[in-house]
Amino acid sequence: MEKKVSFLQVIVIGLMLFAMFLGAGNVIFAPMVGQQAGTNTWIAMGGFLITGVGLVLLAIIALTRGGGTVEKLSGRVHPVFATIFSILLFLALGPIYVIPRTTSVVYEIAIHPLVEMKSDGSLYLFIFSTIFIVLTILLSWNTTKFVDRLGKIITPIFAILLLLLIGKSIFTPMGSIGQPQGEYIQSFDAFLKGFVQGYYTMDVLAAFVFGGIFIKSISSLGIKSEKEVSKIFIKAGIVTIIGLVGLQTSMAWIGASSVDAIGFKENGGEVLAQSSKVLFGQIGIYIIGTIIFLTGITTNVACLAAVSEYFERIVPSISYKKWLILFSIFSLIITNFGLNKILTLASPILLLLYPLAIALIVLIFTNNLFKGHQSVYIGTMIGVGFVAILDALKDGIIAPETINNIFGFIPLFENGAGWIVTGLIGFLIGLIVAKSKKEPDRTIKMAS
């Protein structure tokens, strides 16, 4: 008989999945939404939670339907697309964005408040980031059960400390919620701005990488039926989503209520650090610092190990440990540009990858409606990718006015969501091409 998983085990599995997505980086964006959106915070967070949380579960389910790995999933478009998309995804998850971002966030929240009176902050950043990334290398050298075990410890510690912080911010608010700023003034604009800001958590892209690992971990419990694996995955995913929604809305509340006490800040790391200090005094720095340090080191280890294993797989002539060192050095260099610069530099990459990832998820869920025809996948990705590239160029300050003048006629283009329209057009063109060429049926058989 096949092993049954109890309700309590599903809860534990869900918390473990939550721990995998729980990183220092994904707690710094909702506070900034709260600060900027003011009284429109919950409207903006509606959009934020769609891309930053809701799509995480859909990405995981899409993986179970699409073959279990991001390569197989994206391979439904074309092998060349699969290679390029996977390489960009792993690089963003590792040395280009997530590892430098995480290291910088830990410094910004745990260390910087303690040395902010010192003159040479860049030296402290270099010293800390070197130590932190060396520690990441050591813990990544042999990852056997490390993330799993540490996750079981971190999740309860994180929950207790974070509940203290959130509870204090609710019962003794730092101030009233102010007026929305900039792009958050109009409700619809606030929603779309929040939708795009949800990209920066990277959780949907991380789901493509970590989801396959998690599917295997469920199977290792003795669950053999694909249908049962999917059921457990969905149930555990709901637990994870509840946790992520609670986390992000709480972070948004802290940001929204913090302006009177600390003013507007440049990044969410500063918001959390200063808010903790206002709420708890000097000990607040140690509370938030402990939270961020523990989650940060887990994120770094998981990401560095994942990207190194992937590149060893596609370039086997270079060993896992050599990739580990190479990516660590690259991460260290980028980290020392500082958090604000990292967020700015990485933004164009995320504006390119996220729409493509969302489109892939939608295509997998609707695959059987159009019989999985490859032309539909290709047409949709061309439509989405075209505008995503333009958005990335604009964000990188490459001819933004010219791009807006030429392509501003596309609905939602100025709000960063024009790719939805062009993706639909590409979908329809692909469907027409597929029908005219009588492409083969690629229906996905549902697990039974």
Side-chain angles (χ1 to χ4, degrees), residues 168-207:
K168 187 76 162 61
S169 73
I170 292 172
F171 291 110
T172 58
M174 290 178 279
S176 58
I177 297 177
Q179 293 302 307
Q181 308 292 313
E183 295 177 81
Y184 291 98
I185 293 174
Q186 300 297 323
S187 296
F188 184 65
D189 290 343
F191 178 84
L192 289 177
K193 181 67 174 176
F195 185 90
V196 174
Q197 286 298 302
Y199 294 175
Y200 296 94
T201 64
M202 276 284 288
D203 282 349
V204 169
L205 301 183

Side-chain angles (χ1 to χ4, degrees), residues 93-165:
L93 189 74
I96 290 179
Y97 180 53
V98 172
I99 295 174
R101 181 190 76 179
T102 300
T103 307
S104 297
V105 168
V106 176
Y107 171 79
E108 195 73 43
I109 295 177
I111 306 299
H112 184 253
L114 302 176
V115 299
E116 60 186 345
M117 301 304 292
K118 309 292 183 180
S119 58
D120 194 0
S122 59
L123 176 60
Y124 286 99
L125 173 60
F126 176 74
I127 294 170
F128 171 79
S129 60
T130 301
I131 294 170
F132 197 74
I133 287 179
V134 167
L135 180 60
T136 301
I137 293 172
L138 294 174
L139 294 173
S140 304
W141 208 254
N142 185 352
T143 56
T144 307
K145 295 187 177 179
F146 169 76
V147 175
D148 176 67
R149 289 173 177 169
L150 199 55
K152 290 177 181 176
I153 299 169
I154 283 177
T155 303
I157 294 175
F158 176 89
I160 292 168
L161 293 177
L162 195 61
L163 284 172
L164 280 174
L165 182 65

Side-chain angles (χ1 to χ4, degrees), residues 285-331:
I285 297 297
Y286 300 107
I287 291 174
I288 195 69
T290 301
I291 293 171
I292 296 302
F293 182 87
L294 290 174
T295 56
I297 196 66
T298 307
T299 299
N300 267 15
V301 170
C303 290
L304 184 59
V307 71
S308 299
E309 286 169 354
Y310 172 74
F311 275 88
E312 182 190 31
R313 197 161 68 245
I314 64 172
V315 188
S317 59
I318 301 177
S319 70
Y320 166 80
K321 291 179 179 178
K322 287 179 180 177
W323 281 119
L324 207 68
I325 294 170
L326 181 65
F327 287 135
S328 296
I329 293 171
F330 193 73
S331 300

Side-chain angles (χ1 to χ4, degrees), residues 262-283:
I262 66 174
F264 291 101
K265 298 297 177 182
E266 290 189 24
N267 62 67
E270 290 183 72
V271 174
L272 285 179
Q274 295 302 317
S275 296
S276 298
K277 193 170 182 179
V278 170
L279 290 167
F280 287 101
Q282 189 64 25
I283 195 174

